[in-house]
Amino acid sequence: MSTDPRSVAPAPDAARRPFREAIIDLDAIERNVRTLADRVAPAEVMAVVKANAYGHGAVEAARAALAGGATRLGVADLDEALELRAAGIEAPILAWLHDPVADFAHALDAEVEIGVSSLEQLERVASAADSARVARVHLKVDTGLSRNGIPEAGWSMAVARAAGLERAGRIYVVGIFSHFANTSRDVDEAQLAVFERALAAAADAGLRPSTRHLASSEQAIRDPRARYDAVRIGIGMYGLTPFGDGTTCTDLGLTPAMTLRTRVATVRRVAPGTGASYGHIWHADRATTLALVPLGYADGIPRHASGGGAEVLLAGARRPVVGRVAMDQFIVDVGDAAVDAGDEVVVFGDPATGAPTADEWAEASGTIGYEIVTRIGPRVTRSYVGGRPPGPPPARDGA
Ligand SMILES: *Cc1c(COP(=O)(O)O)cnc(C)c1O
């Protein structure tokens, strides 16, 4: 699809590519969503595009997800929802984490659905609503994560008040939802049971939410009982694994959508015993060639990857990162390989190309793939390949 003449951003030639670049494959996002949507059907897919779509670009990723069969979008806060609306995206959008002084009226004008996590929030949303501007809400219940859902002790009052406001035509309860703590199968099991109690409490109060949702990527993939009417898919749509047990993206049939690449800045030959980078935590144990890669922790390369076994794809092979990762640069030991300044370095990407994955970088740095892609810094240019244009194809010259 990247050869489609209507591609949103044709990739420049390799030599003319930006110095530091995150290439986002929108077709990979579309395919990943389709793979996951097929797996969870008939449950709907809400594509989670918070935090600039985990660093992939919110608007572009949202469009690709909708093309892949997602029917809803999820974000953390209202500003993220409004950004999608401003770009002309019309699909239902749910925002669930609110500033205590958030402007719900503005959100209702933009037809953003609101996740409500307390009675106070429910009142504030309802007071921003009127008969011409009914608030579409999803009640968020806590089932064990202890973050921002309504705790069980507050359910009966919250669902009674929500039902009253619904009868009064101020709000419409579209959904009821919760979030797993991703702790263990036993905790998942307990959370499912608590969610069932919340659904029963809502039903007892006369609420009939059509969109009950509990699972994010991990449980959506693994447990059919957690799918209800919709699942909220974040990491899986970007082609990374939600699992901490060694299950890879390849095992799941998913393709990492982000490739982080740059060019070797300089190379140098060093003698055995040479120490390299801050603190000399690494010394050459033989004569070898070091390639300097112009990406550092300012660009999202974790300093914790220093000495952790991370690798890059360079000159046709995976090569070890050595020494300490600095703010702007890190060093790769290429041995006796013929490597020159200007050669392409792929830090992470699609494993089918031989590149390490963001998940492998996470493993080498004691974190999760989510953090690796989300933390890419502002010096890195984002480019897009694949995807579909937002509207009808542009008219051709002379047509
Ligand atoms: C971020 C988030 C998700 C997406 O989780 P993934 O593991 O990335 O699929 C779903 N629901 C909520 C409430 C979230 O905050």
Side-chain angles (χ1 to χ4, degrees), residues 48 50 54 96 140 147 179 216-217 232-235 370:
V48 178
K50 63 189 179 186
Y54 295 34
W96 55 67
K140 185 166 194 190
R147 292 198 317 200
H179 194 39
S216 53
S217 297
R232 301 182 305 273
I233 299 286
I235 200 70
Y370 297 69

Side-chain angles (χ1 to χ4, degrees), residues 280-370:
H280 281 186
I281 62 169
W282 178 88
H283 292 81
D285 59 4
R286 66 204 190 294
T288 191
T289 299
L290 302 182
L292 187 65
V293 178
L295 287 165
Y297 58 78
D299 308 301
I301 305 297
R303 187 168 179 275
H304 275 88
S306 309
E311 295 179 322
V312 301
L313 178 63
L314 168 55
R318 289 174 59 147
R319 320 259 179 202
V321 175
V322 297
R324 194 151 270 159
V325 173
M327 187 183 294
D328 313 304
Q329 47 198 289
F330 65 85
I331 294 170
V332 173
D333 181 1
V334 302
D336 296 327
V339 170
D340 285 318
D343 287 356
E344 165 152 292
V345 183
V346 177
V347 177
F348 59 75
D350 176 359
T353 67
T357 60
D359 289 321
E360 289 176 87
W361 269 85
E363 183 71 31
S365 342
T367 184
I368 51 178
Y370 297 69

Side-chain angles (χ1 to χ4, degrees), residues 196-267:
E196 285 293 327
R197 288 206 294 279
L199 297 179
D204 286 349
L207 294 173
R208 298 284 177 272
S210 57
T211 308
R212 300 161 300 166
H213 47 113
L214 175 58
S216 53
S217 297
E218 178 182 336
Q219 292 77 10
I221 291 169
R222 185 165 58 64
D223 189 352
R225 295 170 310 154
R227 292 174 189 156
Y228 293 96
D229 304 305
V231 298
R232 301 182 305 273
I233 299 286
I235 200 70
M237 73 179 257
Y238 307 109
L240 301 182
T241 184
F243 293 98
D245 64 0
T247 305
T248 66
C249 57
T250 309
D251 298 334
L252 299 171
L254 303 174
T255 305
M258 183 188 290
T259 297
L260 181 65
R261 58 155 300 283
T262 184
R263 283 185 281 275
V264 172
T266 61
V267 293

Side-chain angles (χ1 to χ4, degrees), residues 41-394:
E44 290 180 64
V45 170
M46 178 186 297
V48 178
V49 294
K50 63 189 179 186
N52 198 28
Y54 295 34
H56 293 69
V59 170
E60 293 83 353
R63 288 205 179 103
L66 293 168
T71 52
R72 299 173 163 273
L73 300 170
V75 292
D77 63 45
L78 296 177
D79 286 345
E80 294 178 314
L82 295 174
E83 180 194 347
L84 299 172
R85 283 283 182 261
I89 291 175
E90 292 176 352
I93 304 173
L94 171 64
W96 55 67
L97 182 62
H98 310 297
D99 183 334
V101 298
D103 179 3
F104 288 117
H106 195 178
L108 298 185
D109 285 338
E111 294 182 32
V112 174
E113 297 181 355
I114 299 177
V116 165
S117 281
S118 68
L119 206 48
E120 296 78 359
Q121 255 175 17
L122 183 62
E123 298 300 346
R124 292 188 54 242
V125 171
S127 57
D130 51 45
S131 54
R133 195 167 58 175
V134 177
R136 294 173 63 85
V137 307
H138 296 235
L139 294 177
K140 185 166 194 190
V141 293
D142 184 31
T143 54
L145 184 56
S146 301
R147 292 198 317 200
N148 74 339
I150 304 168
E152 187 157 3
W155 292 349
S156 58
M157 273 178 74
V159 294
R161 180 64 178 147
L165 288 165
E166 190 172 80
R167 282 192 302 271
R170 299 282 284 284
I171 71 168
Y172 175 64
V173 180
V174 180
I176 179 161
F177 73 116
S178 190
H179 194 39
F180 281 109
N182 290 342
T183 301
S184 66
R185 302 277 173 118
D186 286 349
V187 173
D188 281 5
E189 211 55 51
Q191 289 194 255
L192 269 165
V194 180
F195 192 58
E196 285 293 327
R197 288 206 294 279
L199 297 179
D204 286 349
L207 294 173
R208 298 284 177 272
S210 57
T211 308
R212 300 161 300 166
H213 47 113
L214 175 58
S216 53
S217 297
E218 178 182 336
Q219 292 77 10
I221 291 169
R222 185 165 58 64
D223 189 352
R225 295 170 310 154
R227 292 174 189 156
Y228 293 96
D229 304 305
V231 298
R232 301 182 305 273
I233 299 286
I235 200 70
M237 73 179 257
Y238 307 109
L240 301 182
T241 184
F243 293 98
D245 64 0
T247 305
T248 66
C249 57
T250 309
D251 298 334
L252 299 171
L254 303 174
T255 305
M258 183 188 290
T259 297
L260 181 65
R261 58 155 300 283
T262 184
R263 283 185 281 275
V264 172
T266 61
V267 293
R268 73 170 53 207
R269 191 74 187 162
V270 297
T274 305
S277 194
Y278 293 130
H280 281 186
I281 62 169
W282 178 88
H283 292 81
D285 59 4
R286 66 204 190 294
T288 191
T289 299
L290 302 182
L292 187 65
V293 178
L295 287 165
Y297 58 78
D299 308 301
I301 305 297
R303 187 168 179 275
H304 275 88
S306 309
E311 295 179 322
V312 301
L313 178 63
L314 168 55
R318 289 174 59 147
R319 320 259 179 202
V321 175
V322 297
R324 194 151 270 159
V325 173
M327 187 183 294
D328 313 304
Q329 47 198 289
F330 65 85
I331 294 170
V332 173
D333 181 1
V334 302
D336 296 327
V339 170
D340 285 318
D343 287 356
E344 165 152 292
V345 183
V346 177
V347 177
F348 59 75
D350 176 359
T353 67
T357 60
D359 289 321
E360 289 176 87
W361 269 85
E363 183 71 31
S365 342
T367 184
I368 51 178
Y370 297 69
E371 187 180 4
I372 299 293
V373 288
T374 304
R375 61 189 281 160
I376 298 301
R379 291 193 300 203
V380 178
T381 304
R382 278 178 186 73
S383 313
Y384 294 90
V385 296
R388 307 176 184 205

